[in-house]
Amino acid sequence: MPVRTLPEPAGRGAGPAGPGAADAQVAPTRPGRAATVLFWLLLTVAAVGALAGSEFRDRLGVPPPVRAWSTVFVSIALQSLPFLVMGVALSALVTVALPVERLLAWLPSRPAAAVPVAGVAGVVLPGCECASVPVAAGLIGRGVPAAAALTFLLSSPAINPVVLVSTAVAFPGRPDVVLARFLASLGAAVVVGLLWARFGRPGWLTLPRRPATSDGSPPGFLEVMRHDLVHAGGFVVVGAMLAASVNVLVPTSWLLAISEREWAGVLVLATLAVLVAICSEADAFVAASFTQFSMTAKLAFMVVGPMVDVKLISLQAGTFGRRFALRFAPLTFVAAVFASAVVGWWLM
Amino acid sequence: MSRAYPRIVLGVLGIAVLVVVATGQYTSYVRAGTWPALVITGLTLVVLAGHGALREWQHHDAVRRTRTFGVPAESGHSGHGHTGPAHTGHAHTGSTWVLLLAPVACLALLAPPSLGSYSAARAPDAVLAAPDTTDIGFEDLWEPLPAGGVVPLPLSEFITRARWDDSKELERRTVRLTGFVLPRPVGRAGDEPWQLARMGINCCAADATVYRVRMADPGGLTVTDPAADSWVEVEGRWVSEPAAATDPVAVAEPPLLRIERVRSVPVPEQPYD
């Protein structure tokens, strides 16, 4: 069984070695000491909390900001989980069952043509950004060119029917907002894909390794799913913690005070989209509530959010490696802001 | 044992998801309509954990038999016992998966309540756009309020009608609103002691916006202001004020309600509007 050396994402206490040398070389699967301690600590807290009941909770006297933080944290985690599971299931399906040869034959071989096709194909995945990362990883694992798969990763959470319909509901009587969101998102995704095809290096992207079986048989659907979920789940939790902290610590009214200048408003809402990590199916409603800002700034919020946010960066770092996320996230941010500005000033 | 940790984490998380759906607690975090997706998610997690445990057990059983009967296994047997299908997957992930227990611990220890006055004071006001009345009158879009005595209304509908209904039907009817107490904003006059608030969510509590109604209490019904975050049912009548803005989506001052009765109620099953 070949072992590829991979950089440890986020540097969390990864177990360096099992008891035996052979063990360590073949399957360094054991959690490190810090992780083991954390595992038992969290499990104990959960058990104590579940047994103690509400009176104990009342006596804890949790201050309101901490309570608000815990509500938002649990909400984001609970809301992303079904999408993550769906994405992981689709990814496993891609890995185990999709006739990729046929898919590749259908995809143009030149990147300049394959990237826009992959971008438009994003329409078919009705989910949010948590689902798109594992699916893209599955596609790359099966030999789809990285630039095309990454374009799909960026476009699908932004231009699928569910998101477009919720955008139309959030901005009643403004079909131009829906069109602008579609065009700016697709444009940004294609630009990033083309840049990656032209300048990207294979070494930047660490391919997600598939679970291998000892007897060489291909891994089953459930094995791939479990592998991907264990792999990605923790990073979604990290993102949810960051987003909940921003939600509680930074009142929106602070940001709204900076809305006077047009270009500043665009940058403020684009940055806010990165920090608050709101699901792409709901972000249009939040964008609509920023009434002091220009339409272009609101558009930037809706274009940047599904492509770059703390939860997504964390998930990408976990899936494709930190070297990837460090390059991909800033590139995508710039492309998304630029696309929003151009489409916003053109259409609205 | 430690190789079983990721499976335990998935299983515990799955059970926690199923429990918050079964107890109804999930409505404090996400939209009530998402329960089927959550049930499927919880069951999937439990199945994945169980399947992993089963494969591990089968694998160890096979290894044990091989050893017992002295049948030589394939080369590299010494390491073989630790490379079974159930646990090779997470070799390179670090141990971030442990954090999947964090929401479970948070749920069990704090049982985070639905967002209250702390968040209401910071969240943006929900935008209630004007109904499109260019071709048809407002009356065609809104059903007239039901006949009878006191009319129960969601805060969102009360605010929309107060803002946009030109027939001013609300002035002639007593309504019943349910929400939590948001203490008086700084600088507000003494005859508006507190506000009734309710949060609205579109996906989860991270995208919450707030609906607010100002309470006018000339009769001194609430001698001492009700405690912040306590849930109350208020009966009263809308007080018409001169419209401030004409922009169809601008957020205006919350509408004013002259209260006639206040009584405290338990937290509703669906805490968000």
Side-chain angles (χ1 to χ4, degrees), chain A residues 1 6-10 12-15 22-23 26-32 35-36 38-40 42-43 45-46 49-50 56-57 60 62 64-79 81-82 85 172 209 211-214 222-223 225-227 229-231 233-235 237-238 241 247-248 251-253 278-279 281-282 285-286 288-289 291, chain B residues 1-3 5-10 12-13 17 20 26 28-30 37-38 41 44-45 47-49 51-52 55 59 74 78-80 82-115 118-119 122-125 127 129 202-207 209 229 249-251 272:
Chain A
M1 192 178 94
L6 296 155
E8 287 297 343
R12 283 213 160 258
D23 199 351
V26 178
T29 57
R30 286 156 195 272
T36 309
L38 193 59
F39 173 85
W40 287 111
L42 289 171
L43 213 56
V45 167
F56 169 73
R57 229 166 268 143
L60 270 181
V62 184
V66 177
R67 243 186 345 210
W69 184 90
S70 65
T71 304
V72 176
F73 164 58
V74 169
S75 298
I76 298 176
L78 208 57
Q79 186 252 132
L81 204 54
V85 169
R209 194 177 61 171
T213 46
S214 52
L222 290 177
E223 255 119 43
M225 249 189 102
R226 187 171 53 248
H227 165 267
L229 208 56
V230 165
H231 188 112
F235 292 96
V237 174
V238 172
M241 286 174 166
N247 186 297
V248 172
T252 9
S253 50
I278 290 169
C279 177
E281 294 183 358
F285 296 96
V286 178
S289 73
T291 44
Chain B
M1 174 59 198
S2 59
R3 283 193 310 275
Y5 287 179
R7 290 198 299 274
I8 296 172
V9 168
L10 291 187
V12 168
L13 181 65
V17 170
V20 292
Y26 76 103
S28 294
Y29 314 121
V30 291
L38 289 174
T41 302
T44 307
L45 290 170
V47 166
L48 288 178
H51 173 261
R55 290 298 298 262
H59 179 77
E74 68 269 44
S78 61
H80 180 79
H82 298 291
T83 57
H87 51 72
T88 47
H90 47 87
H92 61 302
T93 63
S95 302
T96 44
W97 47 264
V98 172
L99 290 174
L100 283 171
L101 284 177
V104 181
C106 194
L107 269 169
L109 187 70
L110 302 176
S114 55
L115 294 178
Y118 179 85
S119 305
R122 287 160 180 76
D125 280 290
V127 174
N202 293 302
C203 221
C204 80
D207 59 52
T209 47
D229 284 325
V249 289
V251 177
Y272 298 112

Side-chain angles (χ1 to χ4, degrees), chain A residues 212-302:
Chain A
T213 46
S214 52
D215 53 1
S217 65
F221 177 74
L222 290 177
E223 255 119 43
V224 177
M225 249 189 102
R226 187 171 53 248
H227 165 267
D228 285 4
L229 208 56
V230 165
H231 188 112
F235 292 96
V236 172
V237 174
V238 172
M241 286 174 166
L242 289 173
S245 306
V246 170
N247 186 297
V248 172
L249 295 176
V250 186
T252 9
S253 50
W254 290 10
L255 293 156
L256 301 187
I258 332 172
S259 61
E260 283 160 22
R261 285 166 187 272
E262 172 82 36
W263 59 268
V266 170
L267 284 181
V268 164
L269 283 199
T271 309
L272 189 66
V274 176
L275 295 177
V276 293
I278 290 169
C279 177
S280 67
E281 294 183 358
D283 60 2
F285 296 96
V286 178
S289 73
F290 298 134
T291 44
Q292 297 95 323
F293 285 85
S294 68
M295 274 318 293
T296 306
K298 292 181 207 172
L299 181 66
F301 184 83
M302 293 188 287

